[in-house]
Amino acid sequence: MQHETNTPYETGPEAYDTATLSEVSQRVLWLATAIVDAANRGRPNDTGIKVGGHQASSASMVDIMVSLWFHELTAEDRVSVKPHASPVLHAINYLLGDLDPGYLTTLRAKGGLQSYPSRLKDPDTVDFSTGSVGIGATATVWAAMAHRYLLSRSDATPPAGRFIGLIGDAELDEGAIWEAVADPAVSSLGELLWVVDLNRQSLDRVVPDVQIGRLQGMFEAAGWQVVTLKWGREVTEIFRRPGGEELRRRLEDMPNEEYQRLLRADDAELAGRLTGDAAGPALRALVDELGPARLHRALRDLGGHDIGLLLDTYRTVDPDRPTVVFAYTVKGRGLPTEGHPSNHSALLTGEQMTALAKACGTDEADPWRAFDPGTPAAELCVRRGAHLRRTPVVPEGPAALPTSFGRPHKAAISTQAALGRFLTDLTRKVPEAAARVVTCSPDVASSTNLGGWINKTGVWSAEERRDWFADDAERLLKWSEGSGGQHIELGIAEVNLVGLLGELGATWSRWGQRLIPIGTLYDPFVSRALEPWSYGIYAGGQSILVGTPSGVTLSSEGGAHQSITTPSIGLEQPGCTAWEPAFAQDLEWCLLEAMGQVGVPGGTSAYFRLSTRPVDPALASPPADEALLERRRRQAVAGGYRITAHDPAAEQVTLVGVGAMMPEVVRAAELLAGQGVTAGVVCLTSPDLVFRSMQTRGRLSGGDGGGIVDVLFPAGHPAPLVTVLDGHPHTLAFLAGARGDRIRCLGVTEFGQSSDLHDAHALHGIDAVSVVDAALTLLGR
């Protein structure tokens, strides 16, 4: 074990009954273990596939969680529980009256308790979804920031307490943790408390050397308060006896593996293993005096299992900066598997469960028995259950959004530039909706066209900051920081960006106040941000992610800034609608549609893939008639529309384009016409919605796609298809199944290189000439 001085402890200002808390802790240990046991030994399983569970990982967290739920927490606190401790959370919720006992046998069953804590899928109170290691922990950071943002916007914001992350020590290997910890905006979040379950084991092994000093230094360098709880009070008292300091040194100098092996030693070998050959007479005398039973207890008396010490420690938290508590624990504490290097997924046998029930003071024949009414433990459960009960959140009504701004779109403009203009229009046309918008970016605000919006609304900061360049006449971007701003700028870390988006997009369900978060990043880095963003959607966060510039169109930047797979990513992401409009008018319609779905019950997130290429709006042949223009809008928000005016029955080939490739598609149709070939032109605004339409063959209705696939590709008029997009061509391959057409899919399948736009399109075979060649090949010419 690494050497570490023990943190001093004092008696807290609030009285607590450690005997009752210990009794509750034993019952929680039993219930958590029994929940996993019932899922594996108590249910029929004819598939041969294990159900699984984590009895040992749960056991190490029991005392920490009991200290919180049964004494420390308020109803305003929000807690993220490490994934493998979900049985402990459910056991606690059951004792507090927040979970029906019928669910205790349903871990990992359909309609039952989820394998890992889930805000949306578990039947009891879960504050943060966890399971993707590291992401659930960092969600507490972004939730704290989101609540601070709400407070700065409205006096009606409900109060919040602490944001607490219960983290496995192996989670500290995840880069997401350190990206969040290191962001400068985090160092002032005094409401943030992390407790690290330092059991020194990962999934496969005992970790050889936990570099606790290195971890402490990393947190301290980021401005965090660091508290380390190594030893409990009983063994600390032993350290004060003659030979005690030598015992401490012996325990703290030995490797983690040796310490874990001591936990497995029987009475006959324990003293010999502990003293070794080099022990002095004082240590040997102390070991003989204590005896095997006391020695076993002392070895397991770590800081993370001393409930009184934990409660006293919570009183030392600095309210002005985040705090991390490293709590030493034993993985599998109190179970026959404790300390074993292979205990991660190990399940107790029937005999072991019988012995555990006896040790925990309960009856295996009645595994879900609560405490007898009138006992101190029962009264504590009732009292704490009432104390932690929350008033149900009532979401605000949606802010009215128009379907269009009515702006004429006549000049050539890129969709990225149109985004900036859209946000400026929003503040003028719909100020009440604009007030709910909060934009975020990882240090790319100006290069993703948020400059005008930022100049108008300002940058959000928890405190006012002076802009020393405010009087610089050559500065185009006004960086005025204060509590009234609506843009949040983070460091260059896409994971942080999407983590914050997810929590900003969950405020409607956490505190009843709706926000419409919009985040911008470079499209090639969407894949870097995908996992935490996807997890945020899974946890109920609704947001709009804008990736720009798309594909190889920003050709001079070279392959490192050219995205290939992102169109497919958007189509495949659950809980999200992917858009890639080509024209500024389409972007306006589709973005208003997407905003209406964010921050509301049953809402969805959106991903917009935009371009820096200016596109002439005349290429879309927008209808002049008001009724026909509205029909075009309805089709655009359903997934796409036809540009060509001729009857589909006359088409010999259909050209399908997306986003920045529409000029090439329209030009190819003109070239084909010169060859006597009639080509239809389809502009897709959302391949995602068109795919859903093909899957459902439903009716046309707003943003859910409906029957748009039949409008774009009428079954009675088949024709070969050529699809073109600035991304991987397989994204549109599904269109062959719309009406059984032959198809040729053009797109980007290789890394790009620096070039001009025309060379890039020719290099990847997505220029107009390549489109014409594909069409003629399909026609046998």
Side-chain angles (χ1 to χ4, degrees):
M1 297 175 69
Q2 300 291 318
H3 176 73
E4 187 64 42
T5 57
N6 204 45
T7 300
Y9 49 80
E10 301 291 343
T11 301
E14 296 180 14
Y16 47 81
D17 179 354
T18 54
T20 300
L21 288 170
S22 295
E23 183 182 359
V24 171
S25 182
Q26 284 296 99
R27 184 61 57 89
V28 170
L29 174 64
W30 163 256
L31 288 170
T33 309
I35 285 171
V36 178
D37 182 71
N40 287 272
R41 294 197 306 121
R43 288 202 301 261
N45 183 358
D46 59 1
T47 65
I49 301 174
K50 74 168 188 174
V51 176
H54 300 89
Q55 292 172 327
S57 294
S58 291
S60 63
M61 283 295 299
V62 166
D63 296 311
I64 294 171
M65 293 178 67
V66 166
S67 74
L68 288 168
W69 268 264
F70 288 90
H71 186 272
E72 186 66 17
L73 296 182
T74 72
E76 295 172 354
D77 294 330
R78 298 292 185 272
V79 187
S80 171
V81 177
K82 79 169 190 177
H84 293 158
S86 65
V88 182
L89 177 61
H90 298 310
I92 287 173
N93 282 340
Y94 165 63
L95 289 177
L96 295 176
D98 189 37
L99 180 67
D100 186 278
Y103 283 105
L104 297 175
T105 61
T106 67
L107 179 69
R108 303 189 174 201
K110 180 181 178 182
L113 303 176
Q114 299 303 296
S115 53
Y116 309 120
S118 172
R119 281 191 74 215
L120 300 186
K121 298 180 182 296
D122 271 316
D124 50 340
T125 299
V126 174
D127 293 330
F128 295 93
S129 296
T130 59
S132 184
V133 175
I135 301 302
T138 60
T140 56
V141 175
W142 312 121
M145 191 175 293
H147 186 261
R148 284 207 180 192
Y149 180 84
L150 283 181
L151 283 175
S152 69
R153 308 297 301 174
S154 172
D155 293 337
T157 300
R162 289 161 296 184
F163 294 85
I164 301 171
L166 304 180
I167 306 168
D169 53 2
E171 289 191 79
L172 298 182
D173 292 340
E174 287 292 333
I177 293 285
W178 300 108
E179 289 185 40
V181 167
D183 194 279
V186 174
S187 62
S188 63
L189 299 178
E191 62 270 46
L192 191 62
L193 170 65
W194 283 5
V195 182
V196 179
D197 173 20
L198 202 67
N199 62 38
R200 289 147 294 155
Q201 287 187 243
S202 62
L203 192 150
D204 291 325
R205 60 178 181 152
V206 176
V207 178
D209 290 295
V210 174
Q211 298 294 333
I212 183 66
R214 178 174 58 88
L215 297 174
Q216 288 172 323
M218 292 168 71
F219 275 102
E220 288 172 347
W224 289 54
Q225 178 189 16
V226 178
V227 180
T228 301
L229 304 181
K230 174 162 284 189
W231 301 111
R233 300 181 180 191
E234 180 177 358
V235 73
T236 298
E237 187 277 327
I238 293 173
F239 291 153
R240 298 190 182 104
R241 300 184 187 185
E245 185 57 33
E246 186 179 355
L247 175 62
R248 179 201 283 270
R249 287 197 306 270
R250 168 74 176 115
L251 291 172
E252 293 183 346
D253 289 346
M254 68 174 56
N256 288 329
E257 300 99 320
E258 184 181 2
Y259 170 78
Q260 301 287 99
R261 183 62 184 87
L262 274 179
L263 298 176
R264 310 291 302 168
D266 59 27
D267 291 353
E269 62 178 333
L270 178 59
R273 283 185 174 273
L274 182 58
T275 58
D277 297 329
L283 175 56
R284 292 183 183 278
L286 178 61
V287 168
D288 291 340
E289 175 191 345
L290 293 174
R294 186 82 185 275
L295 274 177
H296 277 297
R297 195 163 69 245
L299 283 174
R300 291 158 174 79
D301 186 31
L302 301 182
H305 298 304
D306 188 326
I307 294 177
L309 177 59
L310 287 163
L311 293 175
D312 288 345
T313 299
Y314 302 143
R315 297 292 178 267
T316 70
V317 169
D318 186 340
D320 297 320
R321 56 179 175 149
T323 296
V324 59
V325 176
F326 288 99
Y328 277 75
T329 62
V330 174
K331 189 167 183 176
R333 170 82 154 109
L335 304 182
T337 57
E338 65 179 0
H340 195 282
S342 301
N343 66 7
H344 184 78
S345 297
L347 299 172
L348 268 60
T349 65
E351 294 84 5
Q352 290 173 328
M353 286 297 295
T354 300
L356 180 65
K358 183 178 180 181
C360 291
T362 190
D363 184 359
E364 187 183 19
D366 186 12
W368 317 123
R369 180 169 62 87
F371 293 109
D372 294 334
T375 62
E379 292 178 352
L380 177 62
C381 292
V382 171
R383 186 167 64 251
R384 291 298 296 168
H387 183 72
L388 295 175
R389 196 163 296 122
R390 297 172 183 163
T391 302
V393 172
V394 179
E396 291 179 317
L401 284 164
T403 57
S404 174
F405 290 151
R407 166 193 276 274
H409 294 273
K410 296 182 178 180
I413 187 174
S414 71
T415 49
Q416 178 178 302
L419 170 66
R421 193 169 71 179
F422 172 93
L423 291 170
T424 303
D425 285 345
L426 188 70
T427 60
R428 292 198 302 262
K429 303 276 188 179
V430 200
E432 63 277 11
R436 297 178 184 269
V437 172
V438 52
T439 58
C440 310
S441 64
D443 199 34
V444 294
S446 57
S447 55
T448 55
N449 278 81
L450 296 182
W453 164 263
I454 292 173
N455 287 343
K456 192 170 186 65
T457 63
V459 177
W460 180 81
S461 173
E463 55 189 22
E464 301 295 326
R465 296 178 181 173
R466 181 173 179 178
D467 182 3
W468 290 95
F469 287 87
D471 58 350
D472 188 335
E474 297 183 5
R475 188 179 188 186
L476 299 179
L477 185 60
K478 300 174 184 176
W479 207 258
S480 176
E481 294 184 75
S483 59
Q486 288 183 248
H487 174 77
I488 302 177
E489 187 86 353
L490 301 176
I492 304 177
E494 288 79 9
V495 170
N496 288 350
L497 168 76
V498 297
L500 178 57
L501 282 181
E503 289 304 321
L504 289 168
T507 59
W508 67 273
S509 59
R510 287 198 192 283
W511 298 290
Q513 294 195 1
R514 182 193 186 198
L515 293 175
I516 304 175
I518 301 175
T520 63
L521 77 168
Y522 290 159
D523 195 63
F525 307 142
V526 164
S527 55
R528 182 186 299 175
L530 178 63
E531 194 251 345
W533 189 54
S534 177
Y535 211 83
I537 295 174
Y538 166 78
Q542 300 166 10
S543 62
I544 297 174
L545 186 65
V546 178
T548 183
S550 60
V552 301
T553 304
L554 191 65
S555 51
S556 59
E557 289 282 354
H561 276 195
Q562 295 173 1
S563 56
I564 297 174
T565 61
T566 51
S568 176
I569 287 173
L571 188 150
E572 296 163 5
Q573 174 59 48
C576 167
T577 301
W579 306 87
E580 190 171 349
F583 303 100
Q585 179 66 84
D586 297 349
L587 174 66
E588 176 188 305
W589 288 335
C590 296
L591 193 48
L592 286 169
E593 174 72 19
M595 288 174 62
Q597 300 298 314
V598 171
V600 295
T604 60
S605 293
Y607 161 49
F608 279 81
R609 192 171 187 256
L610 305 185
S611 171
T612 54
R613 182 189 192 185
V615 177
D616 185 353
L619 294 177
S621 301
D625 179 80
E626 185 176 336
L628 292 179
L629 188 63
E630 170 59 15
R631 185 172 186 270
R632 166 71 64 87
R633 183 199 69 79
R634 293 179 64 241
Q635 290 180 348
V637 300
Y641 53 86
R642 282 181 159 267
I643 289 179
T644 46
H646 58 252
D647 188 337
E651 286 178 13
Q652 295 169 274
V653 65
T654 303
L655 309 182
V656 184
V658 181
M661 298 314 304
M662 286 311 300
E664 278 64 39
V665 174
V666 172
R667 177 59 179 156
E670 295 170 351
L671 294 175
L672 286 169
Q675 299 294 317
V677 175
T678 301
V681 176
V682 173
C683 175
L684 298 186
T685 55
S686 173
D688 186 0
L689 292 178
V690 175
F691 176 75
R692 298 186 207 181
S693 171
M694 193 182 80
Q695 292 290 89
T696 61
R697 297 288 183 178
R699 63 183 182 278
L700 177 61
S701 58
D704 63 1
I708 190 65
V709 69
D710 295 321
V711 173
L712 302 179
F713 307 101
H717 306 294
L721 301 178
V722 178
T723 67
V724 192
L725 82 162
D726 196 351
H728 200 283
H730 97 280
T731 307
L732 298 181
F734 71 89
L735 290 174
R739 58 187 182 188
D741 299 315
R742 288 177 295 127
I743 194 170
R744 180 73 181 274
C745 298
L746 306 183
V748 180
T749 58
E750 303 289 340
F751 291 116
Q753 58 181 280
S754 296
S755 66
D756 66 24
L757 180 62
H758 301 298
D759 286 340
H761 285 173
L763 175 67
H764 295 283
I766 54 177
D767 58 328
V769 172
S770 297
V771 177
V772 170
D773 179 68
L776 294 177
T777 300
L778 284 173
L779 294 171
R781 299 191 183 187

